[in-house]
Amino acid sequence: MNIRFLTLGMIFLSFPVFSQKDELREAERQLKRNNLQETTAALKKAEAVLASATEDQQAQYYFLKAKNELAQADSGTDTEKNITDAIDYFNKVQEIENATKSKKYSVQADPLMNQLLSDIVNNAINDNNSGNFQTASKKFEQAYTLSKKDTSYLFYSANAAVNAKDYDFAESKYKELLRLNYTGKTKIYTAVNKATGKIQSFGGDKKMRDVLLRHNTYVNPGEVFEESKKGMILKNLAFILMGKENYSEAEAYIIQAYKENPDDTDVLISMMNLYLETNRRDKFEEVALKALQKNPENDVLLYNMGVVHLNKNEDASAKEYFERTIAVNPKNINAYINLANIVLKSDAEITGQMNSLTNTRSNQKKFDELKQKKKEIYDAALSYLKKAESVDPKNEMIQSNIKELNNFLMNY
């Protein structure tokens, strides 16, 4: 009785394994015939007994699942989800076979993964070039998930997300790049797509590039050496955090960005903006002076220094910076407007003096002198505003101010 009971137990334990083999065999048969519904049904049955399957059968199961998802993607059912799932299943195959040191299904998966990666990257580049940044970002992320050794795809995903104004997604990807110690300082492999005639980057994946060269779909291989992108990552991350008014975290990243590349004017300007937003004028001026030492002809820096002195009521210094701004960039409207405002500052005092004078013969000469000064002030301010108008003829605020000054001068 004991022997018979043991035999029944052995038969019971073996049954799911045989069932697994049958269902996998059926799924493979239906997939070759492109019967996707039947393939899905067979894989569903195989999934029910997956826990009792051998590691080889598990690898086969995920390999067939990946192929089925690719076939589903080709049918246009839910392409993005199908491709995402296919990538997950291919990665599962590699995970299982790396643990077992088997290559049976990984070898079969490699060319499919390479072609899929090429298609995803091509589509992502086309989307990016067409201004479809959101979809480009997601596709570059898919490319990274499929080939995690090519961290550059994660970088492209984050950049496209910034262009799409998807700042939360970009922030998470930039932070992941920093955790991975990504710098982007690498050798990039390129080739010309025969179909389009355009150069395509394959990131650091020389193997995939060379496979496609052998297939004769790409020609003219090349190499490009790219400098570190760490400074850009830190700068963009700081910019995103400043937009969220998370100034303390943003400051930490912008300081790192400055250390990474102290000659980057954009970094210095971002630091200046941060200190302006947090009302630290002394730090702002300190950074601005450093920036001007490196870029004495930068009109943005000159203008901002003018604003700093204007806010401190240091009108002479502010005027000097605004005039230097215009000398570098004659189209800086705000510099003209601020110069006009500086000139008009003394108008209130003169008007007050005029109003305080009594209507006597002895005060008439004083009144006329003040009136002439007022006219000179308006003439000077009008000169600046007309220059601003020549840059932007449709600016209603400038037109309104010019009209007001002209009305005064006509009446006097």
Side-chain angles (χ1 to χ4, degrees):
M1 180 64 71
N2 288 339
I3 294 173
R4 190 185 310 163
F5 196 79
L6 179 61
T7 304
L8 285 171
M10 289 174 66
I11 292 170
F12 177 77
L13 290 172
S14 300
F15 177 75
V17 179
F18 289 133
S19 176
Q20 177 80 7
K21 285 182 180 179
D22 291 342
E23 299 303 344
L24 291 174
R25 196 177 294 118
E26 176 64 12
E28 192 167 26
R29 183 163 50 248
Q30 296 298 340
L31 189 57
K32 284 178 181 177
R33 296 172 183 171
N34 204 35
N35 296 330
L36 303 185
Q37 267 191 312
E38 290 81 355
T39 304
T40 302
L43 288 169
K44 190 73 176 173
K45 289 179 182 177
E47 183 182 9
V49 290
L50 189 63
S52 60
T54 66
E55 288 165 326
D56 182 68
Q57 289 169 341
Q58 289 177 17
Q60 183 186 11
Y61 167 79
Y62 286 113
F63 176 65
L64 292 173
K65 286 277 283 184
K67 289 182 68 176
N68 188 44
E69 291 295 338
L70 289 183
Q72 297 277 4
D74 287 340
S75 71
T77 308
D78 189 353
T79 304
E80 184 178 342
K81 183 179 185 306
N82 293 142
I83 290 175
T84 298
D85 289 344
I87 292 169
D88 289 341
Y89 295 138
F90 277 134
N91 286 337
K92 192 69 177 174
V93 172
Q94 291 186 325
E95 180 186 327
I96 292 168
E97 294 205 331
N98 283 341
T100 61
K101 298 191 175 0
S102 171
K103 294 293 179 185
K104 182 177 179 181
Y105 294 101
S106 298
V107 168
Q108 296 178 57
D110 278 347
L112 297 175
M113 293 172 72
N114 287 337
Q115 185 57 56
L116 178 58
L117 182 60
S118 175
D119 292 343
I120 291 171
V121 171
N122 278 333
N123 289 334
I125 291 170
N126 290 335
D127 283 340
N128 201 59
N129 291 340
S130 302
N132 299 320
F133 301 118
Q134 190 73 52
T135 53
S137 176
K138 301 302 182 186
K139 286 173 184 175
F140 278 126
E141 184 192 27
Q142 284 183 330
Y144 169 67
T145 307
L146 186 58
S147 181
K148 290 206 169 183
K149 64 180 180 296
D150 290 317
T151 331
S152 58
Y153 294 136
L154 189 61
F155 175 73
Y156 299 143
S157 175
N159 285 351
V162 168
N163 290 331
K165 296 182 171 52
D166 187 354
Y167 296 122
D168 288 339
F169 184 84
E171 179 186 346
S172 68
K173 298 308 166 189
Y174 281 137
K175 286 181 176 178
E176 186 175 350
L177 285 164
L178 292 176
R179 284 194 297 271
L180 294 169
N181 293 318
Y182 171 81
T183 65
K185 189 174 183 179
T186 186
K187 184 190 291 185
I188 302 296
Y189 296 95
T190 65
V192 175
N193 186 320
K194 285 181 73 174
T196 64
K198 294 180 180 178
I199 297 175
Q200 180 184 315
S201 168
F202 292 86
D205 196 341
K206 182 176 185 296
K207 181 180 177 183
M208 185 180 78
R209 194 272 311 264
D210 291 349
V211 166
L212 294 175
L213 287 171
R214 286 196 293 273
H215 288 168
N216 203 32
T217 54
Y218 286 78
V219 293
N220 300 337
E223 296 175 359
V224 178
F225 294 91
E226 294 198 357
E227 296 299 321
S228 173
K229 296 179 179 63
K230 188 174 181 181
M232 183 191 296
I233 293 168
L234 292 163
K235 176 173 63 178
N236 287 354
L237 193 48
F239 173 80
I240 290 167
L241 292 165
M242 283 173 64
K244 296 180 177 182
E245 298 184 4
N246 186 349
Y247 296 116
S248 59
E249 192 177 359
E251 184 175 7
Y253 286 118
I254 203 65
I255 288 172
Q256 287 184 60
Y258 176 71
K259 289 177 181 177
E260 194 73 23
N261 189 358
D263 294 324
D264 189 332
T265 305
D266 288 340
V267 170
L268 288 167
I269 290 174
S270 293
M271 289 178 77
M272 289 162 58
N273 287 336
L274 187 145
Y275 292 132
L276 269 181
E277 292 293 338
T278 52
N279 204 30
R280 285 180 282 174
R281 307 284 174 177
D282 54 337
K283 293 292 290 182
F284 174 93
E285 193 167 354
E286 177 188 328
V287 174
L289 287 171
K290 282 182 184 177
L292 274 174
Q293 287 172 3
K294 296 178 184 296
N295 306 275
E297 300 299 308
N298 186 295
D299 65 300
V300 175
L301 294 173
L302 289 166
Y303 175 77
N304 277 297
M305 280 299 291
V307 171
V308 168
H309 287 285
L310 191 63
N311 290 333
K312 292 163 71 175
N313 293 316
E314 297 170 352
D315 291 348
S317 295
K319 184 180 179 184
E320 179 188 343
Y321 278 111
F322 290 137
E323 286 175 343
R324 286 174 62 186
T325 301
I326 291 166
V328 174
N329 179 12
K331 293 187 177 181
N332 192 310
I333 292 174
N334 289 327
Y336 289 119
I337 292 172
N338 280 323
L339 283 167
N341 287 334
I342 290 171
V343 171
L344 289 168
K345 268 189 174 185
S346 58
D347 178 52
E349 182 183 348
I350 291 173
T351 300
Q353 291 178 31
M354 291 172 71
N355 291 334
S356 68
L357 293 172
T358 57
N359 191 17
T360 63
R361 186 177 296 178
S362 60
N363 284 335
Q364 188 62 47
K365 182 179 179 183
K366 180 68 174 173
F367 184 87
D368 289 343
E369 289 173 355
L370 291 171
K371 180 179 172 182
Q372 181 59 31
K373 281 185 179 180
K374 190 177 182 73
K375 182 179 181 301
E376 289 169 1
I377 289 169
Y378 279 29
D379 279 332
L382 194 58
S383 173
Y384 287 126
L385 290 174
K386 284 183 175 179
K387 288 176 182 176
E389 185 186 33
S390 69
V391 178
D392 185 4
K394 296 182 180 180
N395 190 306
E396 293 181 2
M397 184 269 288
I398 294 173
Q399 289 176 347
S400 175
N401 288 333
I402 289 174
K403 184 179 179 180
E404 187 177 338
L405 292 176
N406 276 326
N407 286 339
F408 170 83
L409 292 171
M410 286 173 64
N411 294 325
Y412 280 78

